[in-house]
Amino acid sequence: MVQEVLINNDDYYVPDANQLVTENDTPADNFASAKQQRLLVSSLYSSLQNQTFLAEANVGIYYTDLQPPIVPDVFLSLDVQVPEKWWEKQNRCYMVWRFGKPPEVVLEIVSNKEGDELGKKLKIYEHMRASYYIVYDPNQQLGEKVLRIYELRGTRYFETSETWLEQVGLGVTMWEGEFEGRQDNWLRWCYQNGNVLLTGDECVEQERQRAEQERQRAEQAEQRSQLLADRLRAMGVDPDTL
């Protein structure tokens, strides 16, 4: 817990970053959760290259003084970015008072019943005023629901069945396919039309397929042109003179 670390900053007080624990080097993930986190974060950076945002996995968020940080599995904060000098103590994690706002989306991946995702963590994110709190429970540790989405209305979270996050301009969806060599069911970001945000590898594959289709169309056009030229020559007409 942070104690006596407030410093004066013009007309208000903010905690002294030099006294805060910004990282503790404690591993906390399993293989499945780590891969799921990479999918959610990497697809944002691959697909939203013209937008300003910050998305990360397992980075602490300080939301108030005198309290330790909370570390969501994934968060997304719009219209902010990591400061250029990110090794400086005050820039190593997400301090709400420095970024001027909480993240819009915080997400927890349930791996056991000890995380208290529907209790203490929900209350913290509610107090933080994150617009959306998503609980992904792939093994149904907390009940029958695999996906729970909470939307902040006023000062309280309300569970919603709506998977389109209006305030973010993105949705979430379940998707079956392969990521990093693993075939499984995955939670993914999506556009309003349901198309998922692509990872870097998927963008490359999509471009490869587009180029292959263009090559095939060019070959077919060349074949048709050659066939027409052969028919004209059979009729005694030189196609080069046309």
Side-chain angles (χ1 to χ4, degrees):
M1 180 176 294
V2 180
Q3 297 180 346
E4 302 298 329
V5 294
L6 296 180
I7 59 175
N8 185 271
N9 185 3
D10 298 329
D11 297 327
Y12 59 93
Y13 287 89
V14 297
D16 180 2
N18 291 320
Q19 302 297 321
L20 303 181
V21 177
T22 55
E23 56 274 310
N24 60 17
D25 299 320
T26 301
D29 280 326
N30 54 68
F31 292 127
S33 294
K35 199 174 284 287
Q36 174 67 79
Q37 291 164 8
R38 285 199 299 275
L39 173 57
L40 288 168
V41 173
S42 65
S43 59
L44 286 168
Y45 283 103
S46 297
S47 298
L48 304 181
Q49 296 183 6
N50 294 324
Q51 294 183 227
T52 300
F53 65 90
L54 174 57
E56 266 307 338
N58 286 326
V59 171
I61 299 176
Y62 272 101
Y63 58 97
T64 186
D65 66 293
L66 305 182
Q67 292 295 331
I70 189 167
V71 185
D73 287 320
V74 174
F75 73 79
L76 168 62
S77 186
L78 302 178
D79 301 318
V80 300
Q81 54 188 340
V82 177
E84 183 175 348
K85 297 180 179 179
W86 60 4
W87 281 113
E88 291 185 359
K89 187 72 171 180
Q90 68 270 19
N91 297 330
R92 290 188 180 186
C93 66
Y94 197 105
M95 300 180 187
V96 170
W97 52 87
R98 291 192 63 83
F99 285 93
K101 56 185 282 293
E104 276 76 14
V105 182
V106 288
L107 185 147
E108 295 285 355
I109 302 170
V110 180
S111 56
N112 53 53
K113 297 181 180 180
E114 300 175 4
D116 204 12
E117 285 83 5
L118 302 182
K120 181 179 179 180
K121 286 183 179 178
L122 185 147
K123 291 300 182 183
I124 290 175
Y125 292 132
E126 185 179 68
H127 176 70
M128 187 195 302
R129 300 185 62 78
S131 301
Y132 299 96
Y133 173 40
I134 299 174
V135 180
Y136 178 42
D137 186 9
N139 292 315
Q140 299 173 294
Q141 298 277 344
L142 306 180
E144 295 183 0
K145 291 184 179 180
V146 171
L147 188 65
R148 293 177 173 86
I149 299 175
Y150 297 89
E151 181 180 18
L152 189 69
R153 301 172 188 170
T155 60
R156 293 289 179 266
Y157 273 143
F158 291 86
E159 189 172 0
T160 177
S161 59
E162 179 61 62
T163 57
W164 176 250
L165 314 180
E166 184 66 34
Q167 297 182 54
V168 180
L170 289 172
V172 289
T173 186
M174 296 306 303
W175 176 85
E176 183 177 357
E178 183 177 320
F179 173 64
E180 293 184 350
R182 178 76 183 198
Q183 183 76 22
D184 211 327
N185 292 311
W186 306 94
L187 180 65
R188 299 195 63 164
W189 304 103
C190 66
Y191 299 105
Q192 198 160 16
N193 62 8
N195 291 339
V196 298
L197 274 64
L198 300 181
T199 65
D201 287 345
E202 288 171 334
C203 289
V204 171
E205 177 60 20
Q206 187 180 72
E207 179 59 25
R208 187 197 67 78
Q209 292 179 3
R210 187 199 64 78
E212 178 62 19
Q213 291 170 356
E214 287 292 331
R215 185 189 65 79
Q216 291 177 359
R217 282 195 288 268
E219 287 184 353
Q220 291 169 358
E222 177 63 24
Q223 291 172 358
R224 288 194 296 269
S225 177
Q226 186 61 47
L227 180 60
L228 177 58
D230 291 343
R231 289 179 178 176
L232 288 172
R233 291 189 182 96
M235 296 169 59
V237 178
D238 185 356
D240 294 331
T241 62
L242 298 179

